[in-house]
Amino acid sequence: MTIVILGSGNVATHIGKAFHALGHQILQVYSRDKANANALASVLNADTVDVVSEITDSADLYLIAVADQAIQQIVDTLPKPVKGIVVHCSGAADINILAHFPLYGVVYPAQSLRKDISTSLKNIPFGIEGANTEISDRLLELMRHISAKSFLCDSEQRLALHIAAVFVNNFSNVLFQTAYNIMQEQNLSFDLLKPIILETAQNVQKHIPKDVQTGPAMRGDTETIKKHLQFLMKNPYWLKIYQQLTEEIIRNKG
């Protein structure tokens, strides 16, 4: 298969390398920043393009792996018609943003990726959506060579997956940072919390999260909660987070 990669960031790098490793021919790598395009193109043995109008119209697949707010600009300037399937990699952008291409779909990796960190894609779920059943099946077959966990979904399911990923990844990480700050204020090492962080992550691999929920809110320990709230009065942001999450734990107890 011949492929054009539009983007040179985290997702473009990982998926581009995966396609290349499978023997697909990467024809071009596009990026507005030519240095970034050159860096990825050199790894993928591809040509560099920094002007969308210079992208070939004869590839089998066009992978748009850019920030959500940049997808529309790519779509508006990509040569039309093109031979192959045009896909984006967003969890939140609707599939219909690509609707004026003859063949289009979505390939969404439900994983936080960084191009400077080597990550195997074989166990990463890829949400696959096509404009029709034939395209969906073609994309699913293609992506299952990269990850057996690739699966079919619609736009609403993909959006739900993206939101849930924000909760478990981005939101949990900012809570780790809040905990880090609390520990730093008391001259305590964040390392003291790493065993419980690891235990929590391991528990949800085998259980429904609410079945392994612990803590004062789960126990109905109002006296401890009051002490915590009093301690947090000095920081209204931390206080509000604690209050809202405590309420959510109590709401989920039933």
Side-chain angles (χ1 to χ4, degrees):
M1 175 176 281
T2 56
I3 300 171
V4 172
I5 305 290
L6 294 102
S8 58
N10 299 319
V11 174
T13 297
H14 280 281
I15 298 181
K17 287 181 177 179
F19 280 139
H20 183 64
L22 288 171
H24 295 293
Q25 183 183 5
I26 313 300
L27 298 178
Q28 297 172 318
V29 173
Y30 162 80
S31 175
R32 290 181 300 176
D33 187 320
K34 194 163 187 176
N36 288 340
N38 281 333
L40 181 55
S42 65
V43 173
L44 304 180
N45 194 28
D47 292 332
T48 298
V49 179
D50 61 354
V51 179
V52 177
S53 60
E54 295 179 0
I55 292 174
T56 179
D57 63 359
S58 61
D60 297 315
L61 181 72
Y62 296 82
L63 186 86
I64 302 175
V66 297
D68 284 15
Q69 61 269 27
I71 295 175
Q72 187 65 62
Q73 183 180 0
I74 297 290
V75 168
D76 290 342
T77 52
L78 193 63
K80 305 174 192 61
V82 292
K83 169 190 170 185
I85 304 172
V86 180
V87 301
H88 70 63
C89 301
S90 168
D94 195 276
I95 189 174
N96 290 327
I97 196 172
L98 305 174
H100 58 263
F101 293 104
L103 308 172
Y104 60 96
V106 181
V107 172
Y108 164 58
Q111 177 71 17
S112 179
L113 298 170
R114 289 180 52 182
K115 64 182 179 181
D116 57 337
I117 297 177
S118 178
T119 302
S120 172
L121 302 186
K122 67 179 181 178
N123 291 317
I124 292 175
F126 281 83
I128 309 301
E129 184 178 5
N132 56 46
T133 301
E134 180 183 354
I135 295 173
S136 295
D137 290 344
R138 287 172 62 186
L139 290 174
L140 183 63
E141 181 182 4
L142 173 67
M143 294 310 298
R144 279 189 170 164
H145 288 288
I146 292 177
S147 170
K149 292 190 175 182
S150 298
F151 66 100
L152 295 177
C153 64
D154 59 31
S155 286
E156 187 170 8
Q157 290 172 321
R158 178 164 45 83
L159 180 60
L161 174 60
H162 189 258
I163 293 169
V166 168
F167 270 90
V168 300
N169 181 32
N170 307 128
F171 290 172
S172 65
N173 193 67
V174 77
L175 290 177
F176 294 154
Q177 183 60 46
T178 299
Y180 178 92
N181 294 338
I182 291 171
M183 298 290 277
Q184 286 286 293
E185 283 195 355
Q186 298 300 318
N187 295 314
L188 293 167
S189 172
F190 183 67
D191 287 348
L192 297 172
L193 295 175
K194 290 181 179 179
I196 196 171
I197 291 172
L198 181 60
E199 181 186 16
T200 302
Q202 290 173 336
N203 280 341
V204 297
Q205 304 303 313
K206 300 177 181 179
H207 304 279
I208 296 172
K210 77 171 187 176
D211 291 345
V212 288
Q213 183 71 57
T214 61
M218 194 66 184
R219 298 191 302 268
D221 185 351
T222 56
E223 288 303 312
T224 295
I225 291 172
K226 286 179 182 178
K227 289 180 181 179
H228 290 176
L229 293 174
Q230 184 64 38
F231 179 90
L232 293 169
M233 289 289 289
K234 58 190 175 185
N235 190 309
Y237 297 104
W238 297 349
L239 179 65
K240 185 175 181 180
I241 292 170
Y242 186 99
Q243 288 173 322
Q244 290 184 324
L245 293 181
T246 295
E247 290 171 5
E248 183 66 7
I249 292 171
I250 294 170
R251 189 183 71 81
N252 277 308
K253 284 172 63 174

